[in-house]
Amino acid sequence: MTTAATTEDLATELRTFAETAGVWPFEEARKIVERLKRKPKDEVLFETGYGPSGLPHIGTFGEVARTTMVRHAFRVLTEDKIKTRLLCFSDDMDGMRKIPDNVPDRAALEPYLQMPLTSVPNPFGGDYPSFGDHNNAMLRRFLDTFGFDYEFASATDYYKTGKLDAVLLRAAEKYDDIMAVMLPTLGEERQATYSPFLPISPTSGRVLYVPLKAVDAKAGTITFTDEDGVDKTLPVTGGKVKLQWKPDFGARWAALGVDFEMFGKDHQTNAPVYDRICEILGGVAPEHYVYELFLDENGQKISKSKGNGLTIDEWLTYASPESLALYMFQSPRSAKKLHFDVIPKAVDEYFNFLARYPAQDWKLRLGNPVWHIHSGNPPAVDMPVSFSMLLNLASASNTEDDAVLWGFLNRHVEGISPQTHPKLNELVGYAVKYFNDFVKPNKRFRAPDDVERDALAKLDTALAALPEGASAEDIQTVLYDVARPIPRYQDLKAKGATPEKPGVSVEWFNTIYQVLIGQERGPRFGSFVAIYGIPETRALIAKALDGTLAG
């Protein structure tokens, strides 16, 4: 009884804070609550769409992760008294309009242009019968690995098994109304040939973009001229025909009763079209959330067919799924560059948020990203060092071996091991991989100039005078004391600085990293030396001064 009462009290307390929480998942969830007040129903359907024209990229995962966050926020607001489902819908019946750049044999796919993606042979081989099936599997594999609660839906399956037949017959009945919505959005030339129905050619198997000669709403058929020049009549049901993508959006919402769907900014101008078609077909348009697009390192939109930007597998080679989920949580309505350089920061930010969570009250917890990432139950993790620190240890030691980093860590923190700290062990592995693949090839040591040589020599002397086991703070103090008398590194504008005791500019620490580590910058250097070791740091200084590093 006590446990049940406590659980019920907690749910009520959470709901109270959730009703005013300012983070975006709760803002969106409250819109769905208001929607239900206008039109009550027993189940709320969240949907995400996936176009399997290429290998899934992280933006695809982002839609599922973000929608899951809104779904969980809704469950808290309603104390889980209303059933919810998340449907991941793959538009795998779309015609392959172009051959992706990142498939093994592009020429082999040329005969299958404009065929439904589930009719295109799988260029990657293996057990999946089609290109669409392969890409669907790639998406499901990751979603399953992350533990998402979702149902997967294939457009091919929905069209061919009759799950969309009712809405397709309604679309035939409302053909003129749909055309009245669509034609004003098209250019004059496109208006002359446009049809919301795309027949699948009985002759070639291709998805045809052709004008219709007749639409028989009573019979539920369309008539068109096929590629062989012969007029054909096909039923709109049973997978013989599919809808153009804009009508398809609205028709799917109407057929399934979708309550919430988010999509990228490139869909924003079309949203009123989707909504109107949904309403024409007897549905109620869902709540929307429009997010900004993901960009590659050059600022170009990420494309599945181009394969630019990061793939899901690439991120997971160098960092955890949780760090990726954090990246998706933060500022969805701001454009985000998605490339390898963003990974270390995302990893460290995740563990920083996780460390703050236990001491926070519920108001702050509901605004903490880890609450949303872990559906209200963040794990307790002891992370004694940052990912950026591990990267710098790997960089300084130039290692390909996890054990080398563990050697430094064991010297710095007592009682830790891969067994006692499995998450830290994961980070060690990620750091070694990331260093060898991205940091090592780009390391550029530079030789110190005369001022820098003198400063490094003084730093070496000061480090030699420190006792064994000196703390990170004591080492950091030495770093400041060495730089403070040197005019180049003085900062008279620093807080508390005086002419007698000037502050120390960041240029000093940048110099250390550029000369000793071969990188532009890094974490707090006193902490680095404490873990890496004073003798080892002095050895780096010696190599920098004798020209070994820059050479």
Side-chain angles (χ1 to χ4, degrees), residues 182-217:
M182 290 304 306
L183 291 180
T185 70
L186 306 171
E188 185 176 346
E189 184 177 345
R190 188 76 181 95
Q191 287 180 358
T193 62
Y194 182 82
S195 165
F197 290 106
L198 303 178
I200 311 298
S201 169
T203 304
S204 67
R206 294 186 178 92
V207 180
L208 302 183
Y209 291 78
V210 293
L212 300 184
K213 292 198 164 184
V215 177
D216 188 332

Side-chain angles (χ1 to χ4, degrees), residues 396 460 463 515-516 532-549:
D460 179 63
L463 290 175
V515 174
L516 300 186
Y532 186 58
I534 290 175
E536 288 80 0
T537 304
R538 293 186 64 209
L540 282 178
I541 294 173
K543 289 181 179 179
L545 295 178
D546 70 16
T548 302
L549 291 181

Side-chain angles (χ1 to χ4, degrees), residues 219-514:
T221 62
I222 59 170
T223 301
F224 64 100
T225 302
D226 200 357
E227 291 185 310
D228 59 3
V230 177
D231 287 354
K232 305 281 177 66
T233 298
L234 293 178
V236 297
T237 56
K240 304 296 184 183
V241 165
K242 75 174 299 293
L243 290 171
Q244 289 259 21
W245 67 278
K246 292 180 187 179
D248 187 78
F249 244 100
R252 190 166 70 236
W253 288 347
L256 305 180
V258 176
D259 294 290
F260 179 85
E261 180 156 355
M262 62 170 54
F263 37 75
K265 190 177 180 181
D266 51 346
H267 285 274
Q268 189 166 21
T269 56
N270 295 318
V273 174
Y274 308 155
D275 288 351
R276 183 68 189 117
I277 290 175
C278 175
E279 292 160 0
I280 287 170
L281 297 176
V284 177
E287 301 301 313
H288 308 150
Y289 185 80
V290 179
Y291 59 84
E292 264 288 0
L293 302 179
F294 295 98
L295 310 174
D296 65 15
E297 60 186 342
N298 299 314
Q300 300 297 310
K301 177 188 169 185
I302 283 179
S303 162
K304 291 185 293 293
S305 59
K306 289 181 181 178
N308 59 331
L310 288 176
T311 67
I312 292 168
D313 286 341
E314 284 171 336
W315 186 292
L316 293 184
T317 299
Y318 306 104
S320 66
E322 293 87 356
S323 62
L324 174 55
L326 171 67
Y327 195 71
M328 294 301 157
F329 176 87
Q330 295 172 314
S331 305
R333 285 192 164 138
S334 297
K336 301 166 81 73
K337 287 190 175 182
L338 201 50
H339 52 89
F340 290 104
D341 290 350
V342 307
I343 292 177
K345 181 182 178 185
V347 173
D348 281 337
E349 286 184 340
Y350 167 73
F351 285 106
N352 287 338
F353 282 120
L354 200 61
R356 293 178 210 160
Y357 184 82
Q360 292 176 325
D361 60 24
W362 277 116
K363 182 177 180 180
L364 291 175
R365 284 183 173 187
L366 295 189
N368 189 324
V370 298
W371 187 89
H372 298 271
I373 291 167
H374 295 283
S375 296
N377 190 28
V381 175
D382 176 25
M383 190 56 62
V385 298
S386 68
F387 188 57
S388 56
M389 180 66 75
L390 292 173
L391 284 174
N392 279 274
L393 289 172
S395 187
S397 56
N398 209 41
T399 187
E400 297 182 5
D401 187 355
D402 295 11
V404 172
L405 296 196
W406 271 107
F408 295 127
L409 295 173
N410 287 328
R411 184 169 59 193
H412 180 66
V413 185
E414 290 185 7
I416 64 170
S417 69
Q419 291 71 40
T420 62
H421 287 67
K423 275 293 179 185
L424 175 57
N425 192 45
E426 283 183 17
L427 247 60
V428 166
Y430 290 139
V432 170
K433 290 175 188 173
Y434 191 93
F435 162 70
N436 280 284
D437 289 352
F438 298 106
V439 179
K440 189 174 182 178
N442 296 306
K443 285 182 73 164
R444 298 290 183 271
F445 293 95
R446 67 173 179 82
D449 61 24
D450 290 342
V451 173
E452 293 164 341
R453 290 182 64 84
D454 181 62
L456 289 170
K458 288 176 179 175
L459 175 60
D460 179 63
T461 301
L463 290 175
L466 285 172
E468 184 178 350
S471 70
E473 286 304 317
D474 288 343
I475 295 168
Q476 193 74 13
T477 298
V478 164
L479 288 164
Y480 281 111
D481 290 344
V482 167
R484 214 179 298 277
I486 302 171
R488 177 185 292 183
Y489 302 127
Q490 291 175 350
D491 182 1
L492 296 175
K493 295 181 180 180
K495 185 178 180 180
T498 64
E500 294 75 27
K501 190 177 180 181
V504 175
S505 74
V506 72
E507 185 179 351
W508 167 232
F509 298 100
N510 289 345
T511 293
I512 290 173
Y513 273 100
Q514 291 163 12

